[in-house]
Amino acid sequence: MALVVQKYGGSSVSDAESIKRVAKRIAEYKRAGNDIVVVVSAMGDTTDELIDLARQITPLPPSREMDILLTAGERISMSLLAMAINNLGVKAKSFTGQQAGVITDAVHGKARIVDVVPSRIRETIEKGSVAIVAGFQGVTLNTNDVTTLGRGGSDTTAVALAAGLGADVCEIYTDVDGIYTADPRLVPSARKVDRITYEEMLEMAASGAKILALRCVEYARRYNVPIHVRSSFSGKEGTLVTNVPAIAAAGPNEGEEAMEDPIISGVAHDRSEAKITVVGVPDVPGTAARIFEVVASAGANIDMIVQNVSVAATGRTDISFTLPEDDGPIATTALNGVRAEIGFDSLQYDDQIGKISLVGAGMKSHPGVSARLFGALRDAGINIEMITTSEIRISVVTRQDSLDDAVRAVHSAFGLDGEGEAVVYGGTGR
Amino acid sequence: MALVVQKYGGSSVSDAESIKRVAKRIAEYKRAGNDIVVVVSAMGDTTDELIDLARQITPLPPSREMDILLTAGERISMSLLAMAINNLGVKAKSFTGQQAGVITDAVHGKARIVDVVPSRIRETIEKGSVAIVAGFQGVTLNTNDVTTLGRGGSDTTAVALAAGLGADVCEIYTDVDGIYTADPRLVPSARKVDRITYEEMLEMAASGAKILALRCVEYARRYNVPIHVRSSFSGKEGTLVTNVPAIAAAGPNEGEEAMEDPIISGVAHDRSEAKITVVGVPDVPGTAARIFEVVASAGANIDMIVQNVSVAATGRTDISFTLPEDDGPIATTALNGVRAEIGFDSLQYDDQIGKISLVGAGMKSHPGVSARLFGALRDAGINIEMITTSEIRISVVTRQDSLDDAVRAVHSAFGLDGEGEAVVYGGTGR
């Protein structure tokens, strides 16, 4: 008997039929003797439809009202799911974020969880019921206002509840069978990974892998909540995200051989970044700092940075950095505002870049990894524009239109290709 | 400057355009210097769509979950309305029943309001904002569970908030210009009534007039909240429901002549009742009491009762009563269960009846009223099956297919016909 928190995304509860299917799975799991808390997203396109309704009313809806509007979606899916489970003869009750004790700050639209007080949830499961909780939402402590958690909010709700309840595992149900060595939509030969560490998963998420949001993995790492990413469309074991590396979990005998090699978790890619190049920057101390200070103050998140060697004749250099495409306008506006002060020549904006990242443990101590990566890209005829590395990741910026080829080439070069074809079931929830 | 609670039904906020129209009206009213609290129902067919979703899941949804599901509807309409008002440059914030302090008992699906603690609403209007409140919903005090108030719930929310805030008036916006002397859909010459007392309105509501729910008028009478029933489609004055009779409000001069006559408020009709006749009841003391005890225990609401004179030869009599058609099955089942005990011969069930009621002050002291009523029905060739009277009402049961003619004949006989044609704008909200 285990205490399990399960999270189902919007694609798993897109209509009455799929809600009944999920209910059946939960009822079976409950009958097997487990205590279950279920976190659910809004049904299929509900959120998009509500956003569309708001847009018909006003181009700039107040974020507090937007949050109240959007949380209607989970209210619908959670009550329907509770009904469906009751209909199978298993007791179930649904709870809003507020009722479940998900306390957040007051930043509407992207609130952060500040506390989880799941006393009603605990009481409900102790009485033998399944507790269904609305994902993606919380309530402010002092003003009792409804908030939404933003991107990855439902996953984070699930992990936070699992932490608050001391659950044995947090199962994230999605439309793929687990974490793959690359996006299976792009690389059909991608292999499912059985285990991955929080750190590797963080690097994957930060590098563009969309299966788990960064904040959710951060939360799980902080409270050491094991995450099991699996499909709601199959009964298969998925990928376990813990602080135990795959090599250690495999045991001394099986691991022996592999311990000599770097462990590559996978290849992530990201099309959502843009590159800004500040051309002709005076090469004097403090200029780079000032540039990034200005960009950060504007609220833009900088990812990779490259500074060319200064041209001796002019005493000037170029500084390039990448950032989320969405932050492009505010960053360029902010930089143009300090052009005279900093004294640079011009700005170049490029949103046609792609980023490929190789993630795995022990990379730094294996110089052969980067050599093999660069070799694979060269053999595929792909030009490298920027490079960054961390303890367990190497990221490379290429032209966006060669990104797919780059991912496949690298995936293959590191022997990640599996034998079967990866299974993808549908869209993804939030 | 006044403090006004306004309630808009589902037909007034059926889509983005109508929400914008209502927002404009509220913004103008606010700019004119009033404090406004708005109670809003779910958009158009939202509630029906949610009920349909639940039916796809299970034939018997738990009432607690059904309540959570249905309250999503008001959450959507209230946040959209708040957005629309903000978009016009007037501050507005929306509140759920729980946030607005609407405390109810735990009878899901038809909860009763036990307390209203509108501290956040008061605070909001004191800060110069319009407060939008979800109608039809509340929260239980101890368990913090979401409840719905059932039929007439949004109207009752509005009146309860008006009472709790000490508002000057509670405006109920609907699809007709006010209370009419008869249903304008049936009697195109029906006249709008400028004023009506709570008692008369209660009799009208109890007699089938659907414009205001009985419980809402009861609440208003108890706390002496003036209700102004008016149309959201026009700017016209509607009907004021207070404890002041029309004759008194008109002042001594204008009223002089009329004070001699009974004041007829209008003609109500009801097609939703059925008649049960218990045939061959032993005419001994206590039998009638036992019959109605059984029916009441089954949860059926009895309206009119008629007992025929006993036939001396048999010592038996027939007892007929009317009740809501929906309660028919439970009442007949319950009575059949005690047939041997009571010793009656058979049950007759008739759902083809119609009820017409004449409502007005001072009827009892004017015997001419019933004479004129019965004369009008006779002249129209309409058979009377049952009669009941109260201080301010006479109700008559006829065949359902002659009900329309009956309403028009009586309306005309009491000189209620106006000159113009009544305006009806659309469907009705809840």
Side-chain angles (χ1 to χ4, degrees):
Chain A
M1 169 153 161
L3 170 54
V4 180
V5 175
Q6 301 188 329
K7 181 260 171 177
Y8 293 91
S11 62
S12 300
V13 292
S14 58
D15 54 21
E17 281 318 304
S18 46
I19 288 174
K20 286 191 214 174
R21 193 173 45 72
V22 166
K24 209 172 148 218
R25 174 184 283 270
I26 295 167
E28 281 166 10
Y29 213 79
K30 175 69 191 163
R31 286 211 173 94
N34 299 288
D35 284 334
I36 310 177
V37 176
V38 177
V39 174
V40 69
S41 300
M43 292 169 72
D45 302 325
T46 310
T47 304
D48 289 339
E49 286 163 18
L50 292 174
I51 291 172
D52 183 56
L53 257 179
R55 286 212 180 117
Q56 287 177 43
I57 298 281
T58 166
L60 278 172
S63 56
R64 177 185 181 277
E65 302 304 326
M66 200 67 194
D67 275 1
I68 291 179
L69 178 69
L70 293 185
T71 51
E74 280 78 21
R75 183 167 276 234
I76 293 170
S77 57
M78 75 182 201
S79 54
L80 291 175
L81 183 56
M83 289 176 193
I85 296 171
N86 277 289
N87 196 41
L88 297 172
V90 171
K91 285 187 292 176
K93 284 177 100 172
S94 70
F95 299 91
T96 62
Q98 190 243 15
Q99 292 172 334
V102 180
I103 316 292
T104 74
D105 61 20
V107 184
H108 287 288
K110 44 181 178 178
R112 314 284 309 185
I113 295 175
V114 295
D115 201 4
V116 178
V117 192
S119 47
R120 286 200 73 182
I121 304 304
R122 199 183 297 277
E123 195 183 295
T124 301
I125 54 181
E126 276 167 7
K127 284 186 181 160
S129 284
V130 174
I132 316 285
V133 179
F136 184 63
Q137 59 178 257
V139 67
T140 58
L141 187 58
N142 295 324
T143 59
N144 192 25
D145 275 322
V146 177
T147 52
T148 64
L149 307 181
R151 206 171 158 264
S154 289
D155 290 359
T156 308
T157 304
V159 169
L161 275 171
L165 292 163
D168 297 292
V169 63
C170 178
E171 298 185 337
I172 305 281
Y173 284 88
T174 178
D175 53 352
V176 286
D177 277 332
I179 311 288
Y180 276 74
T181 49
D183 184 344
R185 290 171 190 81
L186 204 65
V187 184
S189 61
R191 266 193 301 116
K192 196 185 72 187
V193 179
D194 290 334
R195 300 188 73 107
I196 190 169
T197 62
Y198 296 125
E199 286 69 23
E200 289 160 342
M201 193 64 233
L202 280 176
E203 291 283 5
M204 291 286 276
S207 305
K210 292 190 177 62
I211 202 153
L212 283 180
L214 197 58
R215 63 191 293 197
C216 152
V217 185
E218 278 170 352
Y219 206 110
R221 177 168 68 162
R222 183 173 308 174
Y223 293 97
N224 197 20
V225 175
I227 298 180
H228 187 178
V229 178
R230 57 196 306 192
S231 165
S232 65
F233 296 83
S234 81
K236 289 187 205 156
E237 290 287 304
T239 301
L240 207 54
V241 187
T242 65
N243 56 13
V244 182
I247 196 85
N253 291 330
E254 296 152 73
E256 230 167 324
E257 198 178 14
M259 281 179 93
E260 299 292 322
D261 299 330
I263 311 298
I264 304 299
S265 302
V267 182
H269 69 276
D270 193 348
R271 278 177 233 277
S272 69
E273 296 201 338
K275 183 172 73 171
I276 292 178
T277 303
V278 190
V279 181
V281 181
D283 196 6
V284 292
T287 309
R290 180 72 188 124
I291 284 174
F292 296 113
E293 192 180 275
V294 168
V295 174
S297 305
N301 286 308
I302 295 159
D303 181 20
M304 299 168 70
I305 300 176
V306 171
Q307 178 169 354
N308 290 350
V309 176
S310 171
V311 179
T314 61
R316 286 175 177 263
T317 185
D318 298 341
I319 295 179
S320 293
F321 60 91
T322 64
L323 77 178
E325 221 175 314
D326 291 345
D327 291 349
I330 53 169
T332 47
T333 305
L335 282 173
N336 273 323
V338 293
R339 184 170 163 183
E341 180 207 323
I342 296 177
F344 62 82
D345 291 338
S346 63
L347 287 183
Q348 283 174 4
Y349 185 76
D350 178 1
D351 58 7
Q352 292 305 307
I353 61 165
K355 185 174 75 170
I356 169 172
S357 302
L358 187 68
V359 175
M363 277 192 179
K364 268 283 167 65
S365 53
H366 284 79
V369 173
S370 40
R372 202 193 295 184
L373 171 66
F374 300 147
L377 293 174
R378 178 201 57 215
D379 292 348
I382 291 157
N383 196 38
I384 297 173
E385 301 189 9
M386 296 169 90
I387 301 168
T388 53
T389 60
S390 81
E391 194 66 36
I392 57 172
R393 176 176 57 85
I394 307 176
S395 294
V396 168
V397 168
T398 68
R399 282 295 89 199
Q400 200 170 97
D401 55 16
S402 58
L403 186 62
D404 292 4
D405 290 339
V407 171
R408 283 187 280 259
V410 171
H411 193 266
S412 201
F414 282 88
L416 295 172
D417 291 347
E419 288 183 3
E421 235 182 67
V423 188
V424 183
Y425 300 90
T428 46
R430 76 178 173 204
Chain B
M1 171 154 161
L3 170 54
V4 181
V5 175
Q6 302 188 330
K7 180 260 171 175
Y8 293 92
S11 62
S12 300
V13 292
S14 58
D15 55 20
E17 280 317 304
S18 46
I19 288 174
K20 286 191 214 174
R21 192 173 44 74
V22 166
K24 210 173 147 216
R25 174 185 283 270
I26 294 167
E28 281 167 10
Y29 213 79
K30 175 70 191 163
R31 287 210 172 96
N34 299 287
D35 283 335
I36 309 176
V37 175
V38 176
V39 174
V40 70
S41 301
M43 290 169 72
D45 302 325
T46 309
T47 304
D48 290 340
E49 286 163 18
L50 292 174
I51 291 172
D52 184 56
L53 257 178
R55 287 212 180 115
Q56 288 176 43
I57 299 280
T58 167
L60 278 173
S63 57
R64 178 184 180 277
E65 302 304 326
M66 199 66 193
D67 275 1
I68 292 179
L69 178 69
L70 293 185
T71 51
E74 280 77 21
R75 185 168 275 235
I76 294 170
S77 58
M78 76 182 201
S79 54
L80 291 174
L81 183 56
M83 290 175 193
I85 296 171
N86 276 290
N87 196 41
L88 298 173
V90 169
K91 286 186 293 176
K93 284 175 103 172
S94 70
F95 299 91
T96 63
Q98 190 243 15
Q99 292 172 333
V102 179
I103 317 292
T104 73
D105 61 21
V107 184
H108 287 288
K110 43 182 178 177
R112 315 280 311 182
I113 295 175
V114 295
D115 201 3
V116 177
V117 192
S119 47
R120 286 199 73 183
I121 304 303
R122 199 183 298 277
E123 195 184 294
T124 302
I125 54 180
E126 275 169 5
K127 283 185 182 161
S129 282
V130 174
I132 316 286
V133 178
F136 185 64
Q137 60 178 258
V139 67
T140 59
L141 187 57
N142 295 325
T143 59
N144 192 23
D145 275 323
V146 177
T147 52
T148 64
L149 306 181
R151 206 174 157 263
S154 289
D155 290 358
T156 309
T157 304
V159 169
L161 275 172
L165 293 164
D168 297 290
V169 64
C170 177
E171 297 184 337
I172 306 281
Y173 285 88
T174 179
D175 53 352
V176 286
D177 278 332
I179 312 287
Y180 276 74
T181 50
D183 184 344
R185 290 173 189 81
L186 203 67
V187 185
S189 62
R191 263 193 301 116
K192 195 186 72 188
V193 179
D194 291 334
R195 298 187 77 106
I196 190 169
T197 63
Y198 297 125
E199 286 70 24
E200 290 160 342
M201 194 63 233
L202 281 176
E203 292 283 7
M204 292 284 278
S207 305
K210 292 190 178 61
I211 200 152
L212 282 181
L214 198 57
R215 64 193 292 198
C216 152
V217 185
E218 278 169 352
Y219 205 111
R221 178 169 66 164
R222 184 173 306 173
Y223 293 96
N224 198 20
V225 176
I227 298 180
H228 187 179
V229 179
R230 56 195 308 188
S231 164
S232 65
F233 296 84
S234 80
K236 288 187 207 158
E237 289 288 305
T239 301
L240 208 55
V241 187
T242 64
N243 57 10
V244 181
I247 195 84
N253 291 330
E254 296 153 73
E256 232 168 323
E257 200 178 11
M259 282 180 93
E260 299 290 322
D261 299 330
I263 312 297
I264 305 298
S265 304
V267 182
H269 69 278
D270 194 348
R271 280 177 232 275
S272 70
E273 296 202 337
K275 182 172 73 174
I276 292 179
T277 303
V278 190
V279 181
V281 180
D283 195 6
V284 293
T287 310
R290 180 76 187 119
I291 285 174
F292 295 115
E293 193 180 276
V294 168
V295 174
S297 303
N301 285 307
I302 295 159
D303 181 21
M304 296 167 74
I305 300 176
V306 171
Q307 179 170 352
N308 289 352
V309 174
S310 171
V311 180
T314 61
R316 286 175 176 266
T317 185
D318 299 341
I319 295 179
S320 295
F321 60 91
T322 65
L323 77 179
E325 221 176 314
D326 291 346
D327 291 349
I330 53 169
T332 49
T333 306
L335 282 173
N336 274 322
V338 294
R339 184 171 161 180
E341 179 207 323
I342 295 178
F344 62 82
D345 292 337
S346 63
L347 287 183
Q348 284 174 4
Y349 185 74
D350 178 1
D351 59 6
Q352 292 303 306
I353 61 165
K355 186 174 74 169
I356 169 173
S357 302
L358 187 68
V359 176
M363 277 190 179
K364 268 282 166 66
S365 53
H366 283 79
V369 172
S370 38
R372 202 194 294 184
L373 171 65
F374 301 147
L377 292 174
R378 179 200 58 216
D379 292 349
I382 291 156
N383 196 38
I384 296 172
E385 301 189 9
M386 296 170 90
I387 300 169
T388 53
T389 59
S390 80
E391 193 66 35
I392 57 172
R393 176 175 58 86
I394 306 176
S395 293
V396 167
V397 167
T398 69
R399 286 292 89 200
Q400 201 170 96
D401 55 16
S402 59
L403 187 63
D404 292 5
D405 289 340
V407 171
R408 282 188 281 259
V410 171
H411 193 265
S412 202
F414 281 88
L416 295 172
D417 290 349
E419 290 183 0
E421 240 185 63
V423 189
V424 183
Y425 300 91
T428 45
R430 75 177 173 205

